[in-house]
Amino acid sequence: MELFESVMWKYIREEQEILSSNIERTDIEELAETVKNFNHVVFVSHGSSFNSSETVSFFYNKYAHMNVTCVTSGNFIATENMVSLLDPKDTFVITISQTGNSRGTLLSAQLAKKYHLTTVGISVDKNAVLADYVDYLLPLNCGEEDSNAKTKGMSSTILILLLLGTAIGKKKKILSSQLQEKIKQELREQCLELKEVFNKSVEFCRINDFGKGVSNFYITGSGMNYGLALEAQIKLMETMCIPTCAVDTEEFSHGTHRSINKNTHLLILKTQENKVLAQKTFDYFEPKTNVYMIETFEENSNEKVVQVKQHPHTQSVLTIVEFIQIISAYGPENNRLDPNRESNNDFTEIVETRI
C-alpha cells in the first residue's frame, strides 16, 4: 500500500467539519438539564470509547464537580455487587459504543437499568441498537466509519463528552456563562487548527521516516492526555499490529523505564500538567533510543518534536488526538501495509463481542 491510500485518511480529513458542527448542537444542553442534579457519573465502555472517558474524567471533576468512575464494560458486568450499591438518586451511567452494538455495552446498560440507574448512551446515530437499551441517547453525528481503528468517532466522542460536562457545570452554576463560552471557544479554535496539525504531523512522519521497521512502541502522558496515551497505545497496536505500552508520566519511572533499549520507540505527550517531568524524560532518553514528543509549548526546536497550541481548559486534546491518528495511519503505510489489514479479524466473531 502506498502512503495516504487507506480509508483512515478520508475519515481524519472529515473531522474538522464534523466537530465544528457538533459544537453548535442544542440537544446536549437539554440533556444536561436532566442530569444536573447527579454528583457521580460512571462511564462504561470499551477500547477507544473507554479512552475517551478517561480523557474527560479530569474535566468533569474540575468543571462539573462530579465524582467520576471509568470502567470497562466487562468489569462493570463482573462487579454487579458494586453496581447494586450505586445510589440512583446521585449517580447516572454513560455507556459508549460508536457502533452501538457492542455486547458488553448493551449488557452494561441492562444491568444499570436493573438497579434503576439513569442511563445515557453515546453512539453513531439515533438508530443504533444501543438506543433501545438506554433512557437517553446522544448521537455522534459523525457518519459511517468502516475502519478497525476509529478516528473521527473517537474525536467526536471526546468533544461531545466535553460539551456535556461543560453544560452540566453551567447548569450547576459552577461555570459562569463567560467561562462556558471560553471553553467552547477553545474547542472551536482546535477545530480550526486541525489542518495545520495535519500538515505538521505528516511532515514529522516524513522527516523521521515514522514507523519504518518499528517493533514496539511506548507512550506517556498525564492529566487529560493520559487517556490519549492509552488511545495511542490502542491505535498503534491496531494499525501496526505490534506490542505497545502506555503509562502515566509519573509511573514511567516505576519499572517501565527499565525495559527501554535502543530498539524502543517512545512518544511523550507534554502539556502543562507534566511539563517538567516530560522534558526530563525526553532529554534522558533522546541519546539512548528513538524518542518523540508532542508539546503544547515552543520549547524544543527539534525534528522529533511537534508543537501545537496550548488550550488550558481542554488541554488541547482535539489537536493532540489528531496527531495520534495521523501517525497511526502513516506508520503502517510507510511499511507498505494497510492499517486495516487482516489480523485475527475472526476473533470478535468467535467470542461474539458484537450483537
Side-chain angles (χ1 to χ4, degrees), residues 217-221 226 228-234 244-248 256:
F217 213 103
Y218 290 65
I219 312 97
T220 73
Y226 172 62
L228 295 190
L230 294 174
E231 178 61 9
Q233 174 188 16
I234 283 185
T244 57
C245 174
V247 294
D248 174 80
T256 308

Side-chain angles (χ1 to χ4, degrees), residues 9 12 15-16 189-205 294-296 306-311 316-327:
W9 296 105
I12 291 170
E15 287 183 353
Q16 182 173 11
E189 288 174 3
Q190 286 179 75
C191 291
L192 294 176
E193 292 160 14
L194 290 180
K195 184 175 182 180
E196 180 184 3
V197 173
F198 183 99
N199 293 335
K200 281 186 174 182
S201 302
V202 169
E203 181 65 6
F204 160 86
C205 289
I294 181 168
E295 64 175 12
T296 56
V306 172
Q307 296 165 341
V308 297
K309 184 178 177 181
Q310 178 170 279
H311 295 282
S316 305
V317 292
L318 294 182
T319 48
I320 292 176
V321 78
E322 172 95 348
F323 169 78
I324 289 168
Q325 292 165 1
I326 289 166
I327 65 173

